[in-house]
Amino acid sequence: MAIKFKRVNYIYQGMDGTPFRALKDINLTIEEKGEFITLIGETGSGKSTLVQHMNALIKPTSGQVEIYGIKIEETKKKSSKIKLNPLRQKIGLVFQFPDYQLFEETVERDIMFGPMNFGISKEEAKKRAKEVIQLVGLETGYLERSPFNLSGGEKKRVSIAGILAMEPDILVLDEPTSGLDPKGRDELLELFLSIHNKLNNTVLIITHDMNTVYQYASRVLVMNDGNLVFDGKPIDLFASPKLSSWNLDKPDLIDLCDKLSERLNITFENYPKDLEKVVARIKAGYHE
Amino acid sequence: MAYIKLDNVSFNYRKDQPVLKNISLEINKGDWVSILGHNGSGKSTLAKLLIYLLKADKGTIEIDGVKLTEKTALDIRKKIGIVFQNPDNQFVGVTVEDDIAFGMENLCFDRAKILQRIETYSKKVNMHQYLKKEPHNLSGGQKQRVAIAGILAMDTDILIFDEATSMLDPASRDQIMDFIKQLKAEGKTIITITHDMKEAIKSNNIIILNKGEVLAQGDTKKILTDKRLLNTSNLELLLPLKLMHRLKQENIHNEELGEILWQLSLNA
Ligand SMILES: Nc1ncnc2c1ncn2[C@@H]1O[C@H](COP(=O)(O)OP(=O)(O)OP(=O)(O)O)[C@@H](O)[C@H]1O
Ligand SMILES: Nc1ncnc2c1ncn2[C@@H]1O[C@H](COP(=O)(O)OP(=O)(O)OP(=O)(O)O)[C@@H](O)[C@H]1O
Ligand SMILES: [Mg+2]
Ligand SMILES: [Mg+2]
């Protein structure tokens, strides 16, 4: 087990002095290998706060996060940097806002920063930058551009490239597909899946897109008002009567099947993951 | 006569690298138009040209019959509320409250009206209990909701939403879509920039940008059912429409089924 949350609470100290409890007694275990997890929940429910604990960017106010055997606790506030550095290479975190992550003069230097920080040679980092920029769907010409003079979606892609270049063991992505065009969204999800399949590495994605949950995840976590309210299989989540009370909805394919059963009087034994099954079902019904 | 009119507009950030090329388009008063297109196609740039944050290198922009120039920009801006793609670029106030007030102050609303509208609109987007918080300390979706409240409160004739719901949960997104529908019913002119076809289908007109050019412009149904066109600019068919397309390929199509699937996609 790579990451373990034990009764983790997190309190933000507001500017006006009022504390805000963003995480409430979170217990959670994430394996190093084999998991493809989506983390969902209404806006402000604590998702970004939760994942920032996973590479010790923030530390629990109470309780404990254990990452690869290193215990992170409030009392150990000054846990030395030397300890955290290798940990941050192992767990790569892509921020929700790319602007918080981009800071170098060129895209190339921005992507090279992470790997070089972890001791990779300049030549190797350069090579990786050239590879990953293409993986995220941008031409190598972007390497010379300033990361600040890019479109929203382009920035997002560069911020993802920077983390991929670090080749982390666990990939944690905070809304990596928001702001991407539909083709880019599909291509990047396939990219994350292929990384997962190739190395069996755990991937964790925060998203508001139920299709991503349904089509990709083997496990889904739901946050609601600072609580972890669901940890299980996507198919069980979408059957849950609580779904809409958590501000969530059904994935398009399930919604379509439900509505087709209603309108066309055709039934599905179980929900398909592939539109072709629906096509076949209607075709069969049509020829009857 | 068109309410917003672009005639042969071109723009580049860097010399010899045109980002928008000879854009001509017209938007009527009371229209809800979606601007779609691949990442980097020029959507946000176009929006910034409309509020004179960027200045066209070539061509003219006319809004409500007035040509957009340095002289007219200030007055024209008063007609337009824009939610920027990155909500962090929107925030100027120390607190959420100040922030929602900012746009209204620029429009010289009186104090009582401002206070009352802060109340109304922060409640509308469910951010009322955050009024004293610092905007930069909000979650991504909360930032977007505050930015939207600030624009709605201004009550301008034209509203531009640049991917304003990209980080909202499904229920909040639906809620914002309902507000926009309501604004359209009130006669406002609305431009939504989005990658979400579920949002696009609710507008009545669509403009697709591709590599800085207008690839297509027209009626929503015509454009959102055109698979080839959508694919050209990295877009997609909504699932019921994808099914319709596949069934046609399988030689299954009748009007009733087509209508049902269209209706389903409208409410997707
Ligand atoms: N720096 C901060 N100071 C004070 N409160 C904060 C801070 N960051 C977040 N919060 C509050 O903590 C709660 C959880 O925020 P978080 O960013 O984790 O939510 P989220 O689930 O990621 O939401 P979203 O989907 O909108 O990104 C929110 O109510 C937010 O206002
Ligand atoms: N400040 C800038 N300086 C130089 N080039 C820029 C700048 N901002 C954007 N660009 C370039 O202009 C093009 C259009 O950018 P724009 O932000 O308008 O795209 P967009 O359609 O809004 O994309 P997205 O869907 O990713 O938000 C992009 O290729 C981008 O790299
Ligand atoms: Mg977040
Ligand atoms: Mg944009």
Side-chain angles (χ1 to χ4, degrees):
Chain A
M1 133 220 100
I3 308 174
K4 197 171 171 87
F5 284 66
K6 281 185 217 157
R7 302 208 57 180
V8 168
N9 287 280
Y10 189 78
I11 295 174
Y12 284 109
Q13 214 59 52
M15 190 188 49
D16 55 353
T18 49
F20 183 87
R21 211 170 149 210
L23 295 181
K24 302 172 182 168
D25 278 326
I26 304 290
N27 291 300
L28 173 68
T29 302
I30 287 166
E31 303 296 335
E32 182 186 2
K33 293 285 176 189
E35 298 209 85
F36 203 105
I37 305 172
T38 48
L39 170 55
I40 63 178
E42 66 176 352
T43 57
S45 58
K47 303 180 297 296
S48 297
T49 307
L50 183 72
V51 298
Q52 286 173 60
H53 280 83
M54 293 185 180
N55 69 355
L57 266 179
I58 55 182
K59 301 188 178 92
T61 309
S62 74
Q64 187 193 76
V65 180
E66 199 182 313
I67 310 169
Y68 285 104
I70 301 173
K71 294 189 172 72
I72 317 267
E73 293 167 350
E74 164 69 9
T75 46
K76 287 194 197 160
K77 219 169 193 160
K78 295 181 196 84
S79 35
S80 60
K81 254 196 166 167
I82 313 129
K83 267 188 182 170
L84 294 180
N85 217 17
L87 188 153
R88 293 206 172 127
Q89 183 193 9
K90 282 192 162 141
I91 297 168
L93 172 63
V94 177
F95 290 149
Q96 182 167 7
F97 288 95
D99 292 81
Y100 295 179
Q101 206 171 310
L102 305 171
F103 58 95
E104 286 278 5
E105 251 166 65
T106 65
V107 167
E108 181 176 48
R109 284 171 59 177
D110 219 295
I111 299 176
M112 287 166 66
F113 177 83
M116 284 173 67
N117 193 31
F118 298 124
I120 302 292
S121 73
K122 197 170 169 185
E123 295 72 56
E124 170 65 15
K126 232 184 161 76
K127 201 178 121 226
R128 284 191 190 176
K130 205 171 161 184
E131 279 167 22
V132 293
I133 195 80
Q134 296 173 75
L135 284 180
V136 298
L138 295 174
E139 287 155 22
T140 50
Y142 277 87
L143 289 171
E144 283 114 61
R145 302 265 307 265
S146 155
F148 303 104
N149 296 339
L150 298 175
S151 82
E154 290 165 348
K155 279 185 186 171
K156 193 104 214 186
R157 292 170 193 253
V158 170
S159 73
I160 293 169
I163 301 300
L164 293 180
M166 288 161 38
E167 302 185 349
D169 291 348
I170 296 182
L171 198 52
V172 181
L173 306 124
D174 195 346
E175 301 197 25
T177 59
S178 75
L180 292 190
D181 59 51
K183 180 159 172 257
R185 177 202 62 210
D186 289 347
E187 284 173 356
L188 283 190
L189 287 170
E190 286 300 321
L191 173 65
F192 304 144
L193 184 64
S194 75
I195 291 171
H196 168 77
N197 285 340
K198 200 162 78 192
L199 306 163
N200 198 29
N201 282 358
T202 287
V203 174
L204 186 150
I205 297 176
I206 297 183
T207 185
H208 290 295
D209 178 23
M210 301 302 130
N211 300 329
T212 302
V213 179
Y214 184 55
Q215 299 290 346
Y216 289 89
S218 53
R219 177 181 176 194
V220 55
L221 309 172
V222 180
M223 290 295 293
N224 190 261
D225 191 24
N227 297 297
L228 180 63
V229 291
F230 184 94
D231 180 353
K233 288 207 171 71
I235 195 73
D236 297 329
L237 170 70
F238 294 121
S240 164
K242 296 220 179 90
L243 194 66
S244 65
S245 73
W246 293 327
N247 268 10
L248 305 171
D249 64 3
K250 289 180 198 161
D252 291 338
L253 201 49
I254 290 185
D255 187 52
L256 181 65
C257 289
D258 284 350
K259 286 179 175 156
L260 285 177
S261 330
E262 229 172 81
R263 302 289 292 268
L264 296 182
N265 209 7
I266 51 173
T267 50
F268 296 89
E269 261 166 47
N270 37 37
Y271 289 120
K273 285 234 172 140
D274 183 354
L275 187 66
E276 286 311 307
K277 295 251 162 62
V278 182
V279 174
R281 183 67 196 82
I282 292 178
K283 234 173 127 179
Y286 200 76
H287 294 302
E288 265 164 28
Chain B
M1 199 189 66
Y3 193 49
I4 300 173
K5 188 171 171 194
L6 277 77
D7 189 22
N8 230 0
V9 169
S10 295
F11 176 82
N12 58 315
Y13 291 97
R14 294 167 300 160
K15 233 179 164 339
D16 303 324
Q17 305 230 3
V19 162
L20 290 175
K21 300 168 214 166
N22 306 314
I23 304 276
S24 292
L25 53 89
E26 297 190 351
I27 295 172
N28 291 324
K29 199 172 170 75
D31 261 0
W32 175 359
V33 179
S34 294
I35 301 181
L36 314 178
H38 63 86
N39 289 137
S41 56
K43 304 179 296 296
S44 299
T45 304
L46 183 63
K48 287 175 189 159
L49 287 173
L50 290 178
I51 55 163
Y52 209 73
L53 202 62
L54 298 172
K55 189 175 170 305
D57 298 325
K58 218 185 82 193
T60 56
I61 299 177
E62 248 179 62
I63 293 174
D64 198 9
V66 179
K67 194 173 151 197
L68 185 56
T69 63
E70 202 172 332
K71 263 204 192 128
T72 60
L74 265 170
D75 273 336
I76 288 180
R77 265 188 210 151
K78 291 188 177 155
K79 288 193 208 299
I80 308 179
I82 179 168
V83 180
F84 290 112
Q85 182 166 7
N86 182 349
D88 282 326
N89 296 343
Q90 190 107 21
F91 297 137
V92 285
V94 182
T95 62
V96 166
E97 189 171 45
D98 296 345
D99 230 292
I100 299 178
F102 181 76
M104 291 189 279
E105 281 163 358
N106 277 343
L107 295 177
C108 306
F109 285 20
D110 68 57
R111 198 66 207 152
K113 188 173 172 187
I114 290 178
L115 291 177
Q116 177 244 318
R117 292 179 79 85
I118 289 174
E119 199 60 21
T120 311
Y121 286 93
S122 63
K123 277 188 183 146
K124 219 173 157 152
V125 300
N126 300 324
M127 288 301 290
H128 188 248
Q129 69 274 39
Y130 292 87
L131 283 176
K132 304 282 181 213
K133 274 209 167 193
E134 217 176 338
H136 289 284
N137 286 347
L138 298 174
S139 80
Q142 289 171 340
K143 285 178 181 173
Q144 286 195 318
R145 297 205 307 234
V146 169
I148 291 169
I151 297 317
L152 294 181
M154 288 164 65
D155 194 31
T156 51
D157 287 339
I158 301 170
L159 295 102
I160 304 175
F161 296 91
D162 191 352
E163 300 194 32
T165 63
S166 62
M167 290 180 284
L168 296 187
D169 59 65
S172 313
R173 193 203 58 200
D174 288 350
Q175 193 195 14
I176 302 297
M177 284 300 112
D178 286 343
F179 295 159
I180 296 181
K181 264 190 225 161
Q182 210 175 310
L183 291 169
K184 176 168 163 51
E186 288 165 17
K188 307 278 190 196
T189 304
I190 297 149
I191 299 174
T192 46
I193 297 172
T194 184
H195 293 295
D196 186 345
M197 301 303 120
K198 288 181 194 174
E199 288 189 18
I201 201 164
K202 297 192 165 68
S203 62
N204 57 297
N205 261 297
I206 292 193
I207 294 165
I208 299 188
L209 291 185
N210 187 48
K211 298 186 178 136
E213 291 176 298
V214 176
L215 178 70
Q217 181 179 8
D219 170 67
T220 298
K221 186 164 184 178
K222 196 173 126 245
I223 289 185
L224 287 190
T225 50
D226 189 338
K227 180 164 185 263
R228 272 238 314 267
L229 188 62
L230 294 173
N231 284 352
T232 308
S233 200
N234 288 3
L235 307 168
E236 64 184 344
L237 285 170
L238 277 159
L239 199 63
L241 300 177
K242 205 168 166 183
L243 178 61
M244 192 187 318
H245 181 82
R246 279 290 296 117
L247 290 174
K248 269 188 193 153
Q249 284 178 331
E250 299 290 329
N251 271 322
I252 299 177
H253 51 111
N254 60 52
E255 252 171 52
E256 196 196 336
L257 186 60
E259 186 52 31
I260 290 176
L261 291 173
W262 173 251
Q263 288 302 328
L264 292 186
S265 63
L266 279 177
N267 301 314

